[in-house]
Amino acid sequence: MKALRKFIDKQKPHFEKGGKFHWLGSTFEGIETFLFVPNTVTTKGAHIRDAIDMKRVMTVVIIATLPALIFGMWNAGYQHFLSLGQTADFWQNLGYGAMKIVPIIIVSYAVGLGIEFYFAQIKGHEINEGYLVTGMLIPLIVPPDIPLWILAVAVAFAVIFGKEVFGGTGMNVVNPALIARAFLFFAYPGDMSGDKVWIAEKADTYSGATPLGNALVGNFDHFHSFTDMFMGFIPGSVGETSTLMILIGAVVLLATGIASWRIMLSVFAGGYIMGLLFNWWGANQYMELPAYYHLVMGGFAFGAVFMATDPVTSAQTQRGKWIYGFLIGMIAVLIRVFNPAYPEGMMLAILLLNVFAPLIDHYVIESNIKKRLKRLKVVANS
Amino acid sequence: MSTIYFVKKGLDIKLIGEAEKTIVDLDAKRFAVKPPDFIGCFPKMLVKEGDPVKAGTPLFFDKYRENILFTAPVSGKFVELKRGAKRKILELIIESDGKHESIDFGKADIASLDKAAVTEKLLKSGVWPLIRQRPYSIIANPDDAPKSIFVSAFDSSPLAPDYDLMLKGKEKEFQAGLDVLTRLTAGNVHLNVHKDLNGSDLFTNAKNVQVNTFAGPHPSGNVSVHISRVDPINKGDVVWYVDAQDVAVIGKLFLTGEYDSSRVVALTGSEVMKPKYYRAHIGANITNMVVNNINGDNNRFISGNVLTGTKIESDGFIGFYDSQITVIPEGDYYEFFGWALPGFGKWSFSKTFPAWLSPNKKYRLDTNLHGGERAFVVTGLYEKVFPFDIYPMQLMKAMLVEDIDLMENLGVYEIDAEDFALCEVIDPSKINMQEIVRNGLEMMRKEMS
């Protein structure tokens, strides 16, 4: 390690101001701080600091996505061979899935990080770690058969217009990973919806409909069982199918305290209660679907655990988080059941509430301000 | 028994290097008064280098508030005026003659004095700057009528000194000081003690004051916490506060007529070989405390505690309001994959490091920042160590955009920079929050004056 450190110290002057590669300064800095936690010491304020930094926070989120990712790879292979009527063992399934999904991850990171580095460079900033998570989330919410060039366009759009124009990580209004997905959804609907895209290279005769797709057209005769949906043996986006794996990720996020349990709990509660309301109404077969089915179908669990909990785009006050999460759950199920065009409502529900989160916070904070003014008035009148 | 105020949100950072409970005399030759200790003070000199001084001899006054005098803490000779960038006055150094002679300000019967007489004596002797006010944490304005006065008899910060020990034997002066404070306000004088950190009846038996008991982790000792629980500040209110050791200084001034700046100081921190207490004076040089008593040579010397203290040199001086010196190692090293490895033995409030498995372990922490500065990203974290009904991040953002009205609405009068120290320590974005809050408060103060 010492030799590496020495090498970096020797190269450093070339990348600093006045050096011949100064235009690559942020990139060099990004690589250096990736390898070594810098030797910066506290100069102002508290003299000691917590060992945690943004890289650590982001790493924990990435670790939390791994169960869903690995299962997603296996499931991509499993669904593919199932549609062909072939049987394959665990490693064949996983290997096939990896061949499909690893390129997606590579494209996602290469395009996204490339843009991040470029923007950091022209702004003269350090490189933000935010994309480390976004770059992992995007492959998990796209179909395994997504054309890579379309993915690259979507990632570029999301990073530039979803994040960088607002000032980078911490400043964005809506979740960049969902921006990428929304872009794909509206710009390339043929590659993002319908019954054909959810299984990689499936046989034409085999129905590749997701549970949500079946539910929307009222096909409840060949509906997947609750166990299949919970375990994830269903077609769908790469990381969304297995509620079990997502819950393992949720445990990691909650145990480390990185994600808000308030948001997760309230999203599930909102979805469940909306499902119950529909059960009670019961105007059609979809409404009569048991409420807990909604929690394991489609991207509901993935959205609740990994998307809604993004601290930058969610509500920031504690009470705001309850309201925010609850509305996401309710609106997601509402869109699923009522909107004939969109089988899945989670993406749209989260994007909508991302936009409304500052408003929710505004009213929560307003009540804090009112309380303070009231105390002032009580004193003034006494 | 008084009511107990439980502070639930907070964090005790457990460090190595707590001071052993013995007091020895500190043999200090040089003393300093440091104008930067006084927020918003612009010093105008009254003495020249070479002038002889006694304890209580005026050294300078505040250009903006001319009645506030700053006097020498000991007798001897004013030998050096240290200036920094833009000729800013940093230190006035006094060489002690070892006699600790004071100007005689005259004994007084406290009960017979009114506020004006008390104020005059405190101002003349230079003891007045020991009394500070909220909001803004500046020296109290003698013309204000504070709605109450708060005296803290404990410190909850890491390695904090033990007030029971520091004030032992000063019972008479302490009570006299409290009596003096009661002359200054129409409201209550609140003496705040901690359920576990204070055991001495010195505090619980104090007369003419209201004793409030607090319980819970740091920042339960912060004045803002006490005020917010006992007598919250509203817009336009002024509350004064004094440290318990300084109450004894005030008391002695009225009992004997002397300005006796003696103060017990705790030498703490992981790099101190024999951490213990020293009988010193305000502004004493620390050289004789630390020489041959420190491990290694790459250390940070802090006047105060690790959360809010000021960096000083190894031959520096104790700050005007500090009764603690902390020595911790500097952290100017690189760490290979420090953010990615499991990180056994590292301290973290978050559960992303295994530190939470051993909650009682004491740590030797250095000054490494452990990362680079980023924008605000995480939410809901700061609130865990911030025991106020205030939104800390929103308030800081209001300060950053200099929105005076919003700052006021969000409760800027109720807090001080030190209340954000824990938020700053646990922040993964490594934002210098105390600086943001200090600047915000200064902006507010200038706007309102």
Side-chain angles (χ1 to χ4, degrees):
Chain A
M1 292 318 103
K2 268 191 183 147
L4 182 62
R5 184 67 244 167
K6 253 186 191 164
F7 175 75
I8 289 175
D9 283 335
K10 211 171 143 193
Q11 302 307 319
K12 210 171 184 173
H14 298 307
F15 293 91
E16 279 166 356
K17 226 177 175 175
K20 48 185 162 171
F21 300 117
H22 67 92
W23 50 276
L24 274 176
S26 288
T27 311
F28 180 80
E29 202 270 352
I31 294 166
E32 187 195 351
T33 58
F34 178 82
L35 291 172
F36 290 94
V37 173
N39 65 346
T40 337
V41 295
T42 54
T43 50
K44 288 168 184 152
H47 298 268
I48 55 171
R49 299 297 169 96
D50 202 302
I52 193 170
D53 69 346
M54 232 12 123
K55 288 189 179 67
R56 188 81 176 186
V57 173
M58 299 300 173
T59 312
V60 170
V61 183
I62 291 173
I63 290 171
T65 63
L66 290 181
L69 173 71
I70 292 166
F71 181 87
M73 286 186 187
W74 175 85
N75 192 45
Y78 172 75
Q79 296 293 338
H80 165 75
F81 290 116
L82 192 69
S83 81
L84 298 178
Q86 299 169 355
T87 49
D89 67 10
F90 174 82
W91 293 108
Q92 278 172 314
N93 286 335
L94 190 67
Y96 179 84
M99 290 224 320
K100 282 279 163 196
I101 288 156
V102 170
I104 296 179
I105 297 173
I106 291 171
V107 168
S108 164
Y109 272 122
V111 175
L113 284 179
I115 296 170
E116 283 269 345
F117 275 55
Y118 176 72
F119 271 89
Q121 201 68 68
I122 55 176
K123 285 195 257 178
H125 284 181
E126 289 188 24
I127 287 155
N128 284 321
E129 288 84 359
Y131 194 77
L132 292 179
V133 167
T134 312
M136 183 56 101
L137 291 180
I138 290 175
L140 293 176
I141 53 173
V142 295
D145 241 358
I146 180 112
L148 294 179
W149 70 270
I150 293 181
L151 180 78
V153 174
V155 167
F157 179 84
V159 175
I160 295 171
F161 292 101
K163 195 157 84 170
E164 290 304 337
V165 292
F166 296 104
T169 304
M171 316 287 185
N172 46 314
V173 178
V174 291
N175 192 318
L178 282 180
I179 287 278
R181 195 178 196 284
F183 178 85
L184 291 169
F185 189 81
F186 291 111
Y188 302 96
D191 294 295
M192 277 301 284
S193 49
D195 295 347
K196 298 193 174 58
V197 301
W198 304 108
I199 299 172
E201 293 167 14
K202 82 177 174 71
D204 286 341
T205 50
Y206 186 81
S207 162
T210 62
L212 284 172
N214 278 329
L216 194 68
V217 296
N219 179 11
F220 289 96
D221 301 334
H222 303 288
F223 211 64
H224 292 91
S225 72
F226 177 80
T227 322
D228 276 357
M229 292 195 287
F230 179 76
M231 298 304 287
F233 307 132
I234 50 171
S237 294
V238 173
E240 71 169 14
T241 58
S242 173
T243 308
L244 177 68
M245 293 300 153
I246 292 164
L247 288 179
I248 292 172
V251 169
V252 173
L253 290 179
L254 294 180
T256 51
I258 295 295
S260 164
W261 60 271
R262 290 181 180 84
I263 293 179
M264 279 191 210
L265 189 64
S266 58
V267 174
F268 281 111
Y272 185 66
I273 287 171
M274 198 68 199
L276 286 181
L277 283 176
F278 281 138
N279 288 169
W280 174 71
W281 190 349
N284 61 34
Q285 223 180 344
Y286 202 166
M287 285 191 186
E288 283 168 1
L289 193 72
Y292 56 87
Y293 269 49
H294 279 293
L295 310 186
V296 297
M297 280 160 55
F300 193 93
F302 192 86
V305 172
F306 292 109
M307 294 294 178
T309 53
D310 171 13
V312 175
T313 56
S314 67
Q316 302 182 339
T317 55
Q318 290 193 359
R319 223 185 315 160
K321 284 177 179 169
W322 286 113
I323 300 167
Y324 162 88
F326 197 77
L327 287 176
I328 287 179
M330 288 188 90
I331 291 173
V333 174
L334 185 75
I335 294 173
R336 280 180 179 180
V337 176
F338 270 141
N339 194 312
Y342 309 130
E344 175 58 300
M346 201 59 186
M347 172 185 86
L348 295 167
I350 297 173
L351 286 174
L352 184 70
L353 265 297
N354 279 173
V355 174
F356 279 105
L359 188 69
I360 296 171
D361 280 337
H362 175 79
Y363 282 106
V364 172
I365 292 167
E366 202 66 18
S367 77
N368 178 276
I369 291 172
K370 282 207 184 104
K371 203 168 19 167
R372 190 164 285 112
L373 289 175
K374 207 171 140 196
R375 196 176 71 202
L376 178 64
K377 272 187 199 139
V378 170
V379 176
N381 291 337
S382 64
Chain B
M1 195 57 202
S2 53
T3 32
I4 296 185
Y5 297 92
F6 286 94
V7 177
K8 287 200 190 90
K9 293 172 174 180
L11 169 67
D12 282 328
I13 302 172
K14 298 187 175 70
L15 300 180
I16 295 172
E18 202 178 326
E20 191 193 315
K21 294 207 163 55
T22 50
I23 311 184
V24 297
D25 285 319
L26 174 69
D27 175 27
K29 291 279 179 301
R30 288 154 79 85
F31 293 81
V33 180
K34 300 187 270 190
D37 284 349
F38 311 106
I39 294 162
C41 164
F42 192 96
K44 283 280 172 193
M45 296 299 296
L46 292 168
V47 287
K48 292 191 298 293
E49 281 169 82
D51 285 355
V53 294
K54 281 184 170 180
T57 305
L59 298 175
F60 62 92
F61 63 93
D62 185 356
K63 180 181 154 189
Y64 302 112
R65 295 192 286 176
E66 295 187 359
N67 51 356
I68 297 181
L69 288 179
F70 299 84
T71 60
V74 293
S75 60
K77 201 164 83 172
F78 169 46
V79 290
E80 195 187 341
L81 181 65
K82 242 191 202 160
R83 290 180 188 267
K86 294 185 190 166
R87 293 184 44 80
K88 187 183 170 189
I89 298 178
L90 297 181
E91 286 173 353
L92 285 77
I93 299 172
I94 294 158
E95 213 162 75
S96 166
D97 56 13
K99 291 180 196 149
H100 296 295
E101 279 176 334
S102 164
I103 294 178
D104 186 13
F105 294 98
K107 283 186 218 177
D109 175 27
I110 299 162
S112 69
L113 296 175
D114 61 358
K115 187 186 168 191
V118 169
T119 310
E120 196 205 328
K121 203 182 189 65
L122 289 170
L123 283 170
K124 216 172 97 186
S125 58
V127 172
W128 184 266
L130 292 171
I131 304 173
R132 285 178 288 176
Q133 70 159 59
R134 288 295 167 84
Y136 316 129
S137 309
I138 54 171
I139 295 167
N141 181 353
D143 302 328
D144 279 343
K147 72 167 183 168
S148 50
I149 298 179
F150 281 73
V151 176
S152 300
F154 71 101
D155 183 348
S156 55
S157 52
L159 302 174
D162 175 6
Y163 274 65
D164 287 0
L165 182 73
M166 294 197 301
L167 280 158
K168 212 170 155 189
K170 290 188 182 171
E171 291 82 358
K172 228 173 66 192
E173 289 90 346
F174 183 68
Q175 182 59 50
L178 293 177
D179 294 340
V180 171
L181 294 179
T182 59
R183 316 304 301 168
L184 291 173
T185 175
N188 275 327
V189 173
H190 294 279
L191 177 62
N192 302 304
V193 297
H194 193 275
K195 191 162 95 39
D196 308 317
L197 297 173
N198 294 108
S200 162
D201 53 9
L202 167 67
F203 300 117
T204 43
N205 288 346
K207 289 177 202 70
N208 307 328
V209 295
Q210 182 179 326
V211 179
N212 308 305
T213 310
F214 285 80
H218 188 64
S220 60
N222 280 9
V223 181
S224 318
V225 175
H226 300 162
I227 296 175
S228 73
R229 299 296 165 98
V230 178
D231 192 7
I233 294 186
N234 294 303
K235 189 188 175 183
D237 287 349
V238 173
V239 170
W240 289 356
Y241 65 101
V242 192
D243 186 82
Q245 279 213 85
D246 300 337
V247 173
V249 174
I250 294 171
K252 188 148 186 195
L253 176 70
F254 284 78
L255 288 178
T256 65
E258 284 171 41
Y259 173 27
D260 176 5
S261 67
S262 62
R263 177 184 284 181
V264 176
V265 175
L267 176 63
T268 62
S270 58
E271 300 317 288
V272 181
M273 289 174 190
K274 286 194 182 117
K276 59 183 171 234
Y277 290 82
Y278 290 85
R279 224 170 268 116
H281 289 77
I282 288 175
N285 188 288
I286 66 162
T287 307
N288 286 342
M289 271 186 201
V290 297
V291 80
N292 294 329
N293 196 15
I294 300 294
N295 296 314
D297 52 4
N298 187 20
N299 294 315
R300 176 166 302 187
F301 295 79
I302 303 162
S303 172
N305 61 58
V306 290
L307 298 180
T308 60
T310 321
K311 182 182 173 183
I312 57 173
E313 299 302 316
S314 63
D315 59 351
F317 301 89
I318 301 165
F320 191 77
Y321 297 106
D322 298 329
S323 42
Q324 182 182 5
I325 298 289
T326 311
V327 187
I328 56 171
E330 284 285 1
D332 51 347
Y333 54 84
Y334 290 94
E335 195 184 358
F336 185 68
F337 274 128
W339 56 276
L341 297 171
F344 291 101
K346 280 191 185 173
W347 176 80
S348 178
F349 174 67
S350 77
K351 292 189 173 124
T352 59
F353 285 88
W356 60 277
L357 295 168
S358 47
N360 290 319
K361 188 180 165 185
K362 289 185 177 177
Y363 289 86
R364 173 180 179 266
L365 297 185
D366 56 48
T367 62
N368 193 298
L369 195 57
H370 299 291
E373 189 170 337
R374 297 289 182 269
F376 284 107
V377 169
V378 298
T379 58
L381 173 67
Y382 313 126
E383 284 86 346
K384 288 181 186 168
V385 293
F386 192 74
F388 301 91
D389 187 18
I390 288 173
Y391 290 101
M393 188 167 81
Q394 281 74 12
L395 178 56
M396 279 186 279
K397 285 184 175 177
M399 289 169 166
L400 288 170
V401 299
E402 308 193 347
D403 186 337
I404 299 278
D405 288 336
L406 188 58
M407 280 157 67
E408 193 175 288
N409 283 336
L410 290 173
V412 71
Y413 299 120
E414 299 161 44
I415 47 87
D416 183 38
E418 65 177 12
D419 302 317
F420 288 80
L422 282 175
C423 303
E424 183 176 65
V425 169
I426 63 170
D427 180 18
S429 296
K430 311 292 176 192
I431 294 167
N432 286 320
M433 298 183 180
Q434 293 191 72
E435 188 191 24
I436 293 172
V437 176
R438 185 72 263 159
N439 292 343
L441 284 167
E442 278 303 279
M443 185 169 52
M444 202 75 207
R445 188 170 69 84
K446 283 174 187 147
E447 197 72 21
M448 301 304 285
S449 63

